[in-house]
Amino acid sequence: MSQPLRLKRSKYPVSLILLIFVAFIALGMPDGLLGVAWPSMRSSYNLPLDAVTSLLFCSTSGYLLSSFFNSSLTRWLGVGRLLVVSCGLTGIALAGYTLVPAWWMFSALGILTGFGAGAIDASLNTYVADHYGSGLMQWLHASYGVGITAGPFIMTTAIVTFASWRLGYRIVAAFQGLMALAFILTFTAWNNNSNSSNESEKSMLKFSTPISESLRNRSVLGSMLLFLLYTGSEVTTGTWSFGILTARGVSERIAGFVVGSYWALFTIGRVFAGFIARKVKPENLVTGGLILAITGASLFSMSVSKTLDLFGVALIGISIAPIFPALVTGTLSRVGEEHAGNSIGMQMASAGLGAVLLPGLAGRIAQITNLNNIPLLVTTAFIIQLAIMLGFKNEHKAFRSTADDIYGEEGT
């Protein structure tokens, strides 16, 4: 049996990991703004319902570009300088959203926000994986949830209290600028850690298998599809719930609160999953989460009452929380040691594609039919994910021993 990947305990300053957590909060904030801002932005630019697709396409393109070439960018700039540049670009682009007169300019700026987000995401995930324990990775993604939870509340306040979606983007742009300053002030710490020559601190991932060979592997393709559908389902729910709820007669204030609660429960669920991860196998976290998510999405689809609509959105949020980290953990056992190194990057790319394809498809479906069909799309996507996961469990016994070994070596 191949040896499982064991992540390492770090002796680096606690202040540095706290900064990483805050950076991931900042990373999540812009993603939480769009769903609440979109109805007002449509009105400002006189746009059709599915025009959000162009913005999502541009931002995802930038994200994929920077995350794919992250290792080259890190070698060129260094971790600290790359983080400064990325936060700076993101802040400038977010501020630019509030100044440009035309939608095509707004969408073009999405390339910069995506590029900055991809570099921050890939750099910090790689850094934590190389220097800290796997338990800390759970808290890292929970920090992202804090940021994406704050986003809807910031935007709802800006729209309801100040009648300005632009103010919401300016607040988050300022926060990105503060993060760039923080990374400037910590250059020395980043350089010392990233340039370490200690053999025990080097990455244990191997990338010797040709990518073309991995792309011909059925398990790799199935795993990529899982990430595409999962992230697409998550983002579609967060992006379109506000519009669906208000179209069904829910007030803007309550709808904004519910969308914020969706991301809040998402974060709480991930924190809780971090506590129980040693006792509950990742495959059970994934399948159990998908079953509950299907239940919540079905309630949202049926639209029996406003109360059940709100409950359905909340149930989806807390149900999907542990899925992404558990899927990442189970990569080795799903695809095997030969393809694991390649698959991690492919899965992240697939997740990025899912974040634009499914919300865009949802917008197209709503434009042709109506908003009420979007929850049905999400329900179908969750059902397909569950079917794929059950297939992995039956054919490959996914997560069986590797997850136990990884979680048994917690280094928080």
Side-chain angles (χ1 to χ4, degrees):
M1 179 183 295
S2 59
Q3 292 297 314
L5 175 64
R6 299 178 187 273
L7 300 178
K8 303 167 282 301
R9 182 186 298 272
S10 174
K11 296 181 180 179
Y12 296 133
V14 173
S15 58
L16 199 62
I17 196 61
L18 291 177
L19 177 58
I20 292 173
F21 285 166
V22 175
F24 246 63
I25 292 173
L27 179 66
M29 281 183 176
D31 293 343
L33 298 177
L34 181 58
V36 177
W38 179 235
S40 299
M41 290 163 59
R42 280 186 59 215
S43 177
S44 296
Y45 288 101
N46 192 26
L47 298 170
L49 192 61
D50 59 349
V52 71
T53 305
S54 63
L55 174 61
L56 293 173
F57 176 81
C58 288
S59 61
T60 300
S61 297
Y63 178 92
L64 294 177
L65 181 65
S66 61
S67 57
F68 185 84
F69 291 106
N70 181 256
S71 59
S72 298
L73 291 171
T74 301
R75 285 194 298 271
W76 178 39
L77 295 173
V79 177
R81 191 172 287 108
L82 177 58
L83 290 171
V84 171
V85 172
S86 301
C87 286
L89 281 177
T90 304
I92 290 170
L94 290 172
Y97 282 170
T98 70
L99 302 174
V100 294
W103 178 247
W104 71 266
M105 297 178 183
F106 196 112
S107 297
L109 284 172
I111 297 175
L112 291 183
T113 59
F115 188 94
I120 295 168
D121 196 2
S123 296
L124 293 182
N125 269 290
T126 301
Y127 187 87
V128 171
D130 278 347
H131 297 288
Y132 296 92
S134 60
L136 206 61
M137 185 70 77
Q138 297 286 339
W139 300 112
L140 180 71
H141 287 277
S143 298
Y144 172 84
V146 172
I148 204 168
T149 298
F153 289 110
I154 292 171
M155 185 57 72
T156 299
T157 301
I159 292 174
V160 174
T161 306
F162 300 97
S164 173
W165 60 265
R166 290 178 173 85
L167 177 61
Y169 276 106
R170 286 168 183 163
I171 291 171
V172 176
F175 195 77
Q176 295 290 335
L178 291 175
M179 288 308 307
L181 177 61
F183 286 127
I184 289 175
L185 296 175
T186 55
F187 262 145
T188 303
W190 291 105
N191 291 336
N192 287 344
N193 292 342
S194 62
N195 295 330
S196 174
S197 60
N198 190 332
E199 187 67 26
S200 66
E201 294 169 2
K202 294 182 179 179
S203 174
M204 297 176 68
L205 293 175
K206 301 295 187 293
F207 301 91
S208 57
T209 303
I211 292 179
S212 58
E213 183 176 331
S214 294
L215 284 171
R216 292 193 295 269
N217 184 276
R218 186 177 67 174
S219 296
V220 172
L221 295 177
S223 195
M224 291 170 65
L225 181 58
L226 266 176
F227 276 79
L228 186 149
L229 291 174
Y230 166 75
T231 307
S233 303
E234 172 195 309
V235 176
T236 298
T237 303
T239 300
W240 289 103
S241 292
F242 183 85
I244 295 169
L245 290 171
T246 53
R248 292 177 179 178
V250 178
S251 70
E252 285 189 350
R253 188 180 297 273
I254 293 177
F257 175 80
V258 170
V259 174
S261 297
Y262 166 79
W263 295 116
L265 290 169
F266 172 89
T267 304
I268 293 169
R270 185 159 289 175
V271 171
F272 178 72
F275 285 115
I276 67 172
R278 295 188 182 188
K279 297 182 179 180
V280 180
K281 291 183 178 181
E283 65 172 342
N284 294 331
L285 288 175
V286 173
T287 54
L290 287 172
I291 290 171
L292 288 175
I294 291 169
T295 303
S298 298
L299 289 174
F300 196 24
S301 298
M302 292 185 292
S303 188
V304 175
S305 68
K306 293 178 184 178
T307 300
L308 286 179
D309 286 346
L310 302 179
F311 177 75
V313 174
L315 182 58
I316 294 172
I318 197 161
S319 299
I320 66 175
I323 293 177
F324 193 94
L327 286 176
V328 174
T329 299
T331 299
L332 183 61
S333 54
R334 281 197 307 277
V335 305
E337 188 175 277
E338 183 179 359
H339 300 288
N342 289 337
S343 295
I344 291 173
M346 293 176 181
Q347 289 168 171
M348 296 304 105
S350 298
L353 288 175
V356 63
L357 290 180
L358 262 69
L361 176 61
R364 187 59 180 166
I365 290 173
Q367 184 75 18
I368 295 173
T369 58
N370 59 70
L371 284 166
N372 289 322
N373 286 320
I374 293 178
L376 181 60
L377 172 67
V378 173
T379 304
T380 303
F382 281 135
I383 291 172
I384 296 173
Q385 292 167 62
L386 180 60
I388 295 173
M389 268 305 299
L390 293 176
F392 272 121
K393 287 177 66 176
N394 292 333
E395 294 181 21
H396 305 292
K397 297 184 170 148
F399 304 96
R400 61 185 179 203
S401 60
T402 303
D404 290 339
D405 289 335
I406 293 175
Y407 279 73
E409 292 290 327
E410 236 10 74
T412 58

